Amino acid sequence: MGFRHKDIIALKDLNKEEIELLLDTADSLSEINRRDIKKVPTLRGKTVINLFYEASTRTRTSFEIAAKRLSADAVNITASTSSVTKGETLSDTANNLLAMKPDIIVMRHSISGAHEYLAKRVSCSVINAGDGAHEHPSQGLLDMLTMRQKFGKLEGLKVAIVGDITHSRVARSDIYGLTTMGAHVFLAGPPTMMPIGIERLGNVTVCKDMREAVDQADVVMMLRIQLERQGKTLLPSMREYARYFGLNPAVLALAKKDAIVMHPGPINRGVELSSFVADCDQSHILKQVENGVAVRMAMLYHVCGGEPVE
C-alpha cells in the first residue's frame, strides 16, 4: 500500500497498516545511516523547512540530517531568530514561507493544534515535530521501531510509561501508536500528573504504584517532568519524585530479564532514572536517537509521495 496522507500530524490519525509502512520504510532506510557515504538521491530537488518555535536538540538535528541524507535541501528557522520576535503571526509566517515554494514544513510549536491550523493553510506537506502537550508522532514511531527491533513485534508487549503523563506529548503518541499495534500500555505517575480518563485512549491500565506498572514489563519508558508546561509545581520536591517514581536497579529488577529501558530525552539523571540505569546494558536510549534519523527519513519520504521501499 502507498501512504495516503499529505501531512503527518498525529499517530491517532494513522491505522495499523500505515504505521507498519512507516516502520518498515525506516528499517530499510536505516542501512543508509551505516554507510561510509550516507547519502542517496531520493529527495533531490525537494526543500524541507524546519520551523521550530521551541528548543530542540535531537528532533531538529535528526530532521535536518534525515533531509540531507535523502539529498533534500534543509533550511532551519528558530522563533528566536525569525520575524516572530517582531510580532509576525503563524499564518503570516506560513504564507511567506509558502511563497518560497517549500515541499515540506517540519514544525514544533508550543500550542496544541498549531499543525492542523498550518496544514489547512498551506499546500505543501506539514510534519508535526511536537505540539504542546498533544502529540509527537516521530518520537512515537522511533520508540516503536526500537521496541520492534528488540522483540521482533509490538503486539502483546507490556510497555510501562512512567512520569508526567499529563504534559507529555510523547506519552500520547506512544499510547496511540502502541495500542493500535496491539501492545498493552501501563501508566504510572503522581496523581497530579495523571490525566483523568487517559485509559479511554486504548488498551491502557493506570497504576497507582510504579512497581505495578514495571512488574514483568518488556519495556520501561521513563518521562521527563515537564516543568515548562505545568505553570505551577505539582509535586513537593524532586527528591520525593525520585523516591516514588524514579527508576533504579531495584525497581528495574521487577521487569522481565530482557526488558529494555527507554527515555525520549533530555534525561534528568537522578530524578526520573539513576545514572546506572541510564548507562546500563538494558538502556536503549541512544538506540532511540539512532532510530530517530531513520524514522524521520521515512516520514519525509512518504509525505513526498514515495513508494514502499523494498
Side-chain angles (χ1 to χ4, degrees):
M1 61 169 286
F3 193 74
R4 298 183 297 269
H5 299 270
K6 176 180 81 75
D7 314 298
I8 300 179
I9 305 299
L11 292 190
K12 183 181 180 181
D13 301 333
L14 305 182
N15 60 34
K16 182 177 181 179
E17 291 72 25
E18 290 164 339
I19 291 174
E20 284 182 338
L21 176 61
L22 287 167
L23 296 180
D24 289 344
T25 303
D27 247 340
S28 298
L29 293 173
S30 64
E31 181 271 332
I32 297 169
N33 297 322
R34 295 188 290 270
R35 297 179 184 177
D36 290 334
I37 300 177
K38 303 174 181 65
K39 205 172 187 70
V40 293
T42 309
L43 296 186
R44 181 182 294 162
K46 302 293 186 180
T47 301
V48 178
I49 294 179
N50 293 319
L51 178 61
F52 276 64
Y53 286 81
E54 289 186 312
S56 172
T57 299
R58 285 158 295 278
T59 304
R60 194 184 75 170
T61 302
S62 59
F63 264 117
E64 181 181 0
I65 290 173
K68 290 181 175 179
R69 289 187 178 170
L70 293 173
S71 295
D73 297 311
V75 179
N76 294 319
I77 302 173
T78 58
S80 61
T81 58
S82 73
S83 293
V84 172
T85 60
K86 302 175 183 178
E88 187 172 70
T89 65
L90 174 59
S91 180
D92 285 338
T93 297
N95 288 331
N96 279 279
L97 292 177
L98 195 61
M100 302 178 199
K101 310 302 180 186
D103 297 284
I104 303 171
I105 296 176
V106 178
M107 185 173 76
R108 169 170 288 188
H109 203 284
S110 60
I111 298 176
S112 300
H115 295 77
E116 291 186 18
Y117 174 87
L118 178 65
K120 292 176 181 177
R121 285 161 175 77
V122 298
S123 55
C124 68
S125 295
V126 174
I127 294 179
N128 183 0
D131 63 326
H134 175 225
E135 275 213 49
H136 193 346
S138 63
Q139 183 70 45
L141 288 167
L142 72 89
D143 289 343
M144 287 188 284
L145 180 62
T146 302
M147 297 176 202
R148 196 177 74 164
Q149 288 175 343
K150 167 65 177 177
F151 298 105
K153 63 174 184 177
L154 293 170
E155 186 174 2
L157 293 182
K158 177 179 179 179
V159 181
I161 302 178
V162 181
D164 184 0
I165 308 296
T166 295
H167 304 94
S168 175
R169 54 196 174 204
V170 174
R172 282 169 178 76
S173 286
D174 278 340
I175 289 169
Y176 285 129
L178 287 166
T179 56
T180 296
M181 301 305 290
H184 191 174
V185 177
F186 285 70
L187 303 177
T192 52
M193 299 181 185
M194 185 66 66
I196 296 173
I198 190 76
E199 61 270 18
R200 292 196 295 268
L201 296 185
N203 190 14
V204 175
T205 300
V206 177
C207 306
K208 294 182 179 179
D209 188 336
M210 175 186 178
R211 292 172 174 266
E212 178 187 348
V214 174
D215 185 44
Q216 295 302 301
D218 298 287
V219 180
V220 182
M221 171 78 72
M222 304 303 298
L223 301 174
R224 181 176 63 88
I225 299 175
Q226 306 277 316
L227 293 175
E228 70 275 16
R229 302 190 194 284
Q230 293 180 10
K232 60 181 180 178
T233 301
L234 298 178
L235 67 161
S237 68
M238 291 296 184
R239 174 180 284 185
E240 182 166 325
Y241 179 88
R243 178 182 177 185
Y244 290 103
F245 295 101
L247 185 64
N248 54 46
V251 176
L252 180 57
L254 298 173
K256 292 181 180 177
K257 290 184 179 180
D258 63 343
I260 61 174
V261 176
M262 300 174 64
H263 192 298
I267 301 170
N268 291 312
R269 291 172 180 263
V271 180
E272 61 262 21
L273 74 173
S274 67
S275 287
F276 177 86
V277 172
D279 300 327
C280 73
D281 292 339
Q282 290 175 268
S283 173
H284 277 50
I285 297 171
L286 293 180
K287 185 64 176 177
Q288 290 173 265
V289 178
E290 178 185 338
N291 283 334
V293 176
V295 159
R296 285 154 184 146
M297 290 169 71
M299 297 172 78
L300 295 172
Y301 175 76
H302 279 294
V303 296
C304 276
E307 293 299 320
V309 177
E310 296 297 332

